[in-house]
Amino acid sequence: MEGPLQDPYASVAAPAPRPSAQAGRAARIALLAVALLASVGFGALVVAPRLRAPAPASTLVARPTPALLVAIRDLSRLETTEVHVEKVVDLADRQSRLFGLVQATDALLLVAVGHVTIGVDLARIGEGDIAMDAETGVARLTLPAPEVFSTRLDEDATYVYTRKTSLLARRNEQLESRARKEATEAIEKAALEGNVMARAKAQAERQITALATQLGAKRVEIRWRDVGVGGD
Protein backbone atom coordinates (compact mmCIF):
# COMPACT_ATOMS: atom_id res chain seq x y z
CA MET A 1 0.00 0.00 0.00
CA GLU A 2 1.46 3.39 -1.04
CA GLY A 3 1.73 6.33 1.33
CA PRO A 4 0.23 9.86 0.82
CA LEU A 5 1.40 11.84 -2.11
CA GLN A 6 3.83 14.72 -1.44
CA ASP A 7 3.41 18.12 -3.06
CA PRO A 8 6.36 18.64 -5.36
CA TYR A 9 6.08 22.52 -4.88
CA ALA A 10 6.10 22.42 -1.12
CA SER A 11 9.79 23.44 -0.89
CA VAL A 12 9.18 26.37 -3.17
CA ALA A 13 6.16 27.82 -1.33
CA ALA A 14 7.71 27.66 2.16
CA PRO A 15 7.47 31.10 3.94
CA ALA A 16 10.65 33.17 4.39
CA PRO A 17 11.99 33.38 7.93
CA ARG A 18 10.96 36.62 9.98
CA PRO A 19 13.67 39.09 10.88
CA SER A 20 14.74 38.91 14.48
CA ALA A 21 13.69 41.59 17.00
CA GLN A 22 17.31 42.76 17.45
CA ALA A 23 17.68 43.48 13.76
CA GLY A 24 14.46 45.57 13.75
CA ARG A 25 15.62 47.66 16.71
CA ALA A 26 18.93 48.38 14.98
CA ALA A 27 17.13 49.55 11.88
CA ARG A 28 14.94 51.97 13.86
CA ILE A 29 18.00 53.43 15.65
CA ALA A 30 19.72 54.00 12.32
CA LEU A 31 16.68 55.84 10.90
CA LEU A 32 16.47 58.02 14.03
CA ALA A 33 20.16 58.94 13.77
CA VAL A 34 19.76 59.92 10.13
CA ALA A 35 16.76 62.13 10.94
CA LEU A 36 18.64 63.79 13.83
CA LEU A 37 21.67 64.54 11.68
CA ALA A 38 19.45 65.98 8.99
CA SER A 39 17.68 68.33 11.42
CA VAL A 40 20.96 69.49 13.02
CA GLY A 41 22.49 70.15 9.64
CA PHE A 42 19.50 72.21 8.51
CA GLY A 43 19.53 74.28 11.73
CA ALA A 44 23.23 74.94 11.30
CA LEU A 45 22.57 76.22 7.80
CA VAL A 46 19.94 78.59 9.13
CA VAL A 47 21.93 79.88 12.13
CA ALA A 48 25.37 80.07 10.51
CA PRO A 49 24.64 83.11 8.29
CA ARG A 50 23.47 85.06 11.35
CA LEU A 51 26.63 84.28 13.27
CA ARG A 52 28.81 85.31 10.33
CA ALA A 53 26.98 88.64 9.75
CA PRO A 54 29.27 91.65 10.39
CA ALA A 55 28.56 93.77 13.46
CA PRO A 56 26.99 97.19 12.75
CA ALA A 57 29.54 99.99 12.53
CA SER A 58 29.64 102.42 15.51
CA THR A 59 31.54 105.65 16.08
CA LEU A 60 32.36 107.19 19.47
CA VAL A 61 32.16 110.98 19.47
CA ALA A 62 33.80 112.81 22.39
CA ARG A 63 32.34 116.28 22.85
CA PRO A 64 34.73 118.59 24.72
CA THR A 65 33.21 120.30 27.74
CA PRO A 66 34.48 123.54 29.29
CA ALA A 67 35.81 121.95 32.47
CA LEU A 68 37.39 125.19 33.64
CA LEU A 69 34.13 127.11 33.27
CA VAL A 70 32.11 124.41 35.04
CA ALA A 71 34.59 124.17 37.91
CA ILE A 72 34.61 127.94 38.46
CA ARG A 73 30.83 128.20 38.30
CA ASP A 74 30.57 125.45 40.90
CA LEU A 75 32.18 127.86 43.36
CA SER A 76 29.26 130.24 42.72
CA ARG A 77 30.19 133.02 45.15
CA LEU A 78 33.85 133.39 45.97
CA GLU A 79 34.14 135.21 49.30
CA THR A 80 37.55 136.87 49.38
CA THR A 81 37.50 139.56 52.08
CA GLU A 82 35.70 140.27 55.34
CA VAL A 83 35.97 143.75 56.84
CA HIS A 84 35.43 144.51 60.53
CA VAL A 85 34.08 148.04 61.13
CA GLU A 86 33.12 149.95 64.28
CA LYS A 87 30.84 152.96 63.99
CA VAL A 88 29.23 155.39 66.46
CA VAL A 89 25.82 156.72 65.40
CA ASP A 90 24.44 159.84 67.07
CA LEU A 91 20.74 160.10 66.20
CA ALA A 92 18.17 162.57 67.59
CA ASP A 93 14.46 163.12 67.05
CA ARG A 94 13.75 166.84 67.51
CA GLN A 95 10.17 167.69 68.40
CA SER A 96 8.37 171.03 68.61
CA ARG A 97 6.17 171.66 71.64
CA LEU A 98 3.96 174.52 72.92
CA PHE A 99 3.26 175.96 69.48
CA GLY A 100 6.91 175.90 68.55
CA LEU A 101 8.09 177.75 71.60
CA VAL A 102 9.93 174.74 73.06
CA GLN A 103 12.18 172.25 71.29
CA ALA A 104 12.19 168.79 72.84
CA THR A 105 14.62 166.03 71.92
CA ASP A 106 14.68 162.24 72.00
CA ALA A 107 18.27 161.16 71.26
CA LEU A 108 20.48 158.12 71.50
CA LEU A 109 24.10 157.22 70.92
CA LEU A 110 24.61 153.79 69.32
CA VAL A 111 27.96 151.98 69.26
CA ALA A 112 27.76 149.63 66.29
CA VAL A 113 30.13 146.84 65.31
CA GLY A 114 29.65 145.19 61.94
CA HIS A 115 31.14 142.83 59.38
CA VAL A 116 31.12 143.28 55.60
CA THR A 117 31.73 140.32 53.32
CA ILE A 118 33.13 141.10 49.87
CA GLY A 119 33.69 138.66 47.03
CA VAL A 120 33.22 137.77 43.37
CA ASP A 121 29.94 136.44 42.02
CA LEU A 122 31.19 133.73 39.66
CA ALA A 123 27.66 132.98 38.46
CA ARG A 124 28.02 136.12 36.30
CA ILE A 125 30.72 134.45 34.19
CA GLY A 126 29.56 133.68 30.65
CA GLU A 127 30.76 131.29 27.94
CA GLY A 128 32.94 133.96 26.33
CA ASP A 129 34.64 134.98 29.58
CA ILE A 130 36.92 131.94 29.74
CA ALA A 131 39.27 130.73 27.02
CA MET A 132 41.83 127.94 27.23
CA ASP A 133 44.65 127.59 24.69
CA ALA A 134 45.38 123.87 24.48
CA GLU A 135 48.75 124.37 22.77
CA THR A 136 50.27 126.96 25.10
CA GLY A 137 48.27 126.05 28.20
CA VAL A 138 47.29 129.70 28.79
CA ALA A 139 43.91 130.31 30.42
CA ARG A 140 42.36 133.76 29.90
CA LEU A 141 39.54 134.78 32.24
CA THR A 142 37.35 137.85 32.52
CA LEU A 143 35.87 138.13 36.00
CA PRO A 144 33.18 140.44 37.36
CA ALA A 145 34.46 143.03 39.81
CA PRO A 146 34.19 142.26 43.53
CA GLU A 147 31.00 143.36 45.26
CA VAL A 148 29.47 143.42 48.72
CA PHE A 149 27.75 140.14 49.53
CA SER A 150 26.46 140.99 52.99
CA THR A 151 26.61 143.62 55.73
CA ARG A 152 25.56 142.59 59.22
CA LEU A 153 25.77 143.99 62.72
CA ASP A 154 27.43 142.05 65.49
CA GLU A 155 24.51 141.90 67.92
CA ASP A 156 26.71 140.90 70.83
CA ALA A 157 29.01 143.89 70.37
CA THR A 158 26.45 146.52 69.27
CA TYR A 159 24.75 148.47 72.05
CA VAL A 160 23.06 151.76 72.95
CA TYR A 161 25.57 153.88 74.85
CA THR A 162 23.18 156.63 75.94
CA ARG A 163 19.49 157.43 75.51
CA LYS A 164 18.15 160.88 76.51
CA THR A 165 14.56 162.01 76.24
CA SER A 166 13.60 165.60 77.15
CA LEU A 167 10.84 166.29 79.63
CA LEU A 168 8.36 167.39 76.99
CA ALA A 169 9.53 164.99 74.28
CA ARG A 170 7.66 161.89 73.21
CA ARG A 171 9.80 158.75 73.23
CA ASN A 172 10.30 157.53 69.68
CA GLU A 173 10.16 153.73 69.77
CA GLN A 174 11.55 153.49 66.21
CA LEU A 175 14.63 155.53 66.98
CA GLU A 176 16.91 152.60 67.83
CA SER A 177 15.83 150.68 64.70
CA ARG A 178 16.59 153.76 62.59
CA ALA A 179 20.00 154.08 64.26
CA ARG A 180 20.81 150.45 63.47
CA LYS A 181 19.89 150.99 59.82
CA GLU A 182 22.06 154.09 59.67
CA ALA A 183 24.92 152.11 61.24
CA THR A 184 24.61 149.30 58.69
CA GLU A 185 24.76 151.71 55.76
CA ALA A 186 27.69 153.62 57.29
CA ILE A 187 29.61 150.40 57.95
CA GLU A 188 29.16 149.21 54.35
CA LYS A 189 30.29 152.58 53.01
CA ALA A 190 33.35 152.58 55.27
CA ALA A 191 34.27 149.06 54.16
CA LEU A 192 34.46 150.16 50.52
CA GLU A 193 36.94 152.91 51.23
CA GLY A 194 40.69 152.58 50.86
CA ASN A 195 42.23 149.55 49.18
CA VAL A 196 39.60 146.99 50.24
CA MET A 197 38.49 146.25 46.66
CA ALA A 198 42.08 145.95 45.48
CA ARG A 199 42.75 143.39 48.20
CA ALA A 200 39.59 141.52 47.24
CA LYS A 201 40.73 141.33 43.60
CA ALA A 202 44.21 140.12 44.58
CA GLN A 203 42.76 137.38 46.79
CA ALA A 204 40.34 136.28 44.06
CA GLU A 205 43.16 136.12 41.50
CA ARG A 206 45.21 133.88 43.79
CA GLN A 207 42.34 131.46 44.35
CA ILE A 208 41.21 131.34 40.71
CA THR A 209 44.80 130.89 39.50
CA ALA A 210 45.31 127.98 41.88
CA LEU A 211 42.10 126.32 40.66
CA ALA A 212 42.94 126.80 36.97
CA THR A 213 46.45 125.40 37.52
CA GLN A 214 44.99 122.27 39.10
CA LEU A 215 42.82 121.85 35.99
CA GLY A 216 45.86 121.92 33.69
CA ALA A 217 46.54 125.58 32.91
CA LYS A 218 50.22 126.55 32.75
CA ARG A 219 49.57 130.28 32.98
CA VAL A 220 46.48 132.27 33.94
CA GLU A 221 45.63 135.76 32.71
CA ILE A 222 42.79 137.56 34.52
CA ARG A 223 40.96 140.71 33.51
CA TRP A 224 38.21 142.52 35.40
CA ARG A 225 34.99 144.12 34.25
CA ASP A 226 32.70 146.44 36.17
CA VAL A 227 29.39 145.13 37.47
CA GLY A 228 26.51 147.53 36.94
CA VAL A 229 23.57 147.94 39.22
CA GLY A 230 21.15 145.03 38.72
CA GLY A 231 23.37 143.17 36.25
CA ASP A 232 26.60 143.15 34.24
Side-chain angles (χ1 to χ4, degrees), residues 19-34:
S20 63
Q22 185 176 3
R25 187 180 300 109
R28 288 195 297 273
I29 293 174
L31 292 175
L32 182 60
V34 171

Side-chain angles (χ1 to χ4, degrees), residues 4-220:
L5 297 176
Q6 297 182 353
D7 188 356
Y9 300 99
S11 59
V12 178
R18 296 181 178 178
S20 63
Q22 185 176 3
R25 187 180 300 109
R28 288 195 297 273
I29 293 174
L31 292 175
L32 182 60
V34 171
L36 182 61
L37 290 174
S39 63
V40 172
F42 179 74
L45 291 176
V46 173
V47 176
R50 296 181 182 177
L51 295 178
R52 291 194 298 267
S58 62
T59 303
L60 296 177
V61 178
R63 183 180 179 182
T65 57
L68 187 60
L69 175 60
V70 173
I72 290 178
R73 278 183 173 174
D74 284 344
L75 296 177
S76 186
R77 285 189 165 191
L78 180 62
E79 297 182 357
T80 59
T81 307
E82 184 173 88
V83 183
H84 176 88
V85 180
E86 297 182 3
K87 182 72 176 179
V88 176
V89 178
D90 187 359
L91 191 63
D93 180 17
R94 302 187 183 278
Q95 305 169 12
S96 178
R97 292 288 182 265
L98 300 177
F99 305 100
L101 298 177
V102 177
Q103 295 293 325
T105 304
D106 182 22
L108 65 77
L109 195 66
L110 178 73
V111 177
V113 178
H115 303 279
V116 181
T117 302
I118 300 173
V120 179
D121 188 0
L122 300 177
R124 296 178 181 270
I125 297 178
E127 297 288 342
D129 293 331
I130 294 181
M132 182 75 175
D133 192 331
E135 295 182 358
T136 62
V138 177
R140 296 178 175 86
L141 297 84
T142 301
L143 302 179
E147 58 187 286
V148 175
F149 285 162
S150 65
T151 303
R152 63 191 185 278
L153 293 180
D154 186 342
E155 297 297 336
D156 294 332
T158 300
Y159 61 95
V160 176
Y161 183 72
T162 59
R163 178 73 183 260
K164 296 180 180 180
T165 306
S166 301
L167 180 60
L168 297 179
R170 184 182 72 253
R171 187 179 180 88
N172 188 345
E173 300 299 338
Q174 303 299 323
L175 193 61
E176 183 176 347
S177 299
R178 178 65 183 273
R180 287 177 174 270
K181 182 178 179 181
E182 293 285 342
T184 302
E185 295 176 355
I187 287 173
E188 180 174 329
K189 183 178 179 181
L192 299 180
E193 296 176 354
N195 63 343
V196 174
M197 285 301 178
R199 292 177 58 184
K201 286 183 178 181
Q203 179 65 16
E205 289 178 357
R206 284 193 292 268
Q207 297 185 28
I208 294 296
T209 299
L211 175 61
T213 302
Q214 292 178 1
L215 294 174
K218 296 180 180 179
R219 191 172 80 253
V220 180

